[in-house]
Amino acid sequence: MDHARGNPTGETSPTKRYAPSPKGAAKVARFRLSVSFAKAVLDRRTELGLSQAELAERAGLSQAKIARIESAASFPTLPLLRRLAVAMNASLNIALDADREEVTFIAHPAA
């Protein structure tokens, strides 16, 4: 093989055929969901014009906890999800599929 030309034989390397273990795939899925949720919280908080500290106060959490959620370093429990949705005056919608996660906060109409 002429290394200057790449891989003219079309052979695949072992790394290209790598399939993650079920445990590894679950970690990747959890991380993707954490990132999707983090973005949804950040987007809704920004939409409301709230600081992390203000959202934390509304939800009865610490500002550090909000920071961990928004950085995808922490994934909240179901009760905490409810507290965040109520604090942001919204409904939380989570759509999960084999290869995608969609997390959105839908604002409640103004009373």
Side-chain angles (χ1 to χ4, degrees):
M1 175 174 135
D2 180 0
H3 292 300
R5 293 186 182 178
N7 184 359
T9 63
E11 296 173 1
T12 59
S13 69
T15 57
K16 290 185 181 177
R17 289 180 277 166
Y18 171 77
S21 69
K23 189 175 182 179
K27 285 183 179 182
V28 168
R30 181 179 168 97
F31 177 74
R32 285 189 351 214
L33 184 56
S34 292
V35 169
S36 295
F37 183 71
K39 183 179 180 330
V41 171
L42 176 64
D43 290 348
R44 178 64 180 153
R45 180 178 64 76
T46 303
E47 181 181 306
L48 292 170
L50 297 173
S51 67
Q52 287 182 344
E54 290 167 328
L55 176 56
E57 185 176 328
R58 283 184 174 198
L61 302 169
S62 69
Q63 180 274 326
K65 181 66 173 176
I66 299 296
R68 285 192 303 274
I69 291 168
E70 288 185 356
S71 67
S74 173
F75 193 75
T77 61
L78 289 174
L80 197 108
L81 292 174
R82 179 187 303 245
R83 288 168 62 182
L84 285 169
V86 169
M88 292 190 286
N89 193 32
S91 296
L92 174 61
N93 294 321
I94 302 173
L96 304 173
D97 202 335
D99 59 350
R100 94 180 157 93
E101 298 79 24
E102 185 177 337
V103 180
T104 55
F105 284 95
I106 309 298
H108 292 156

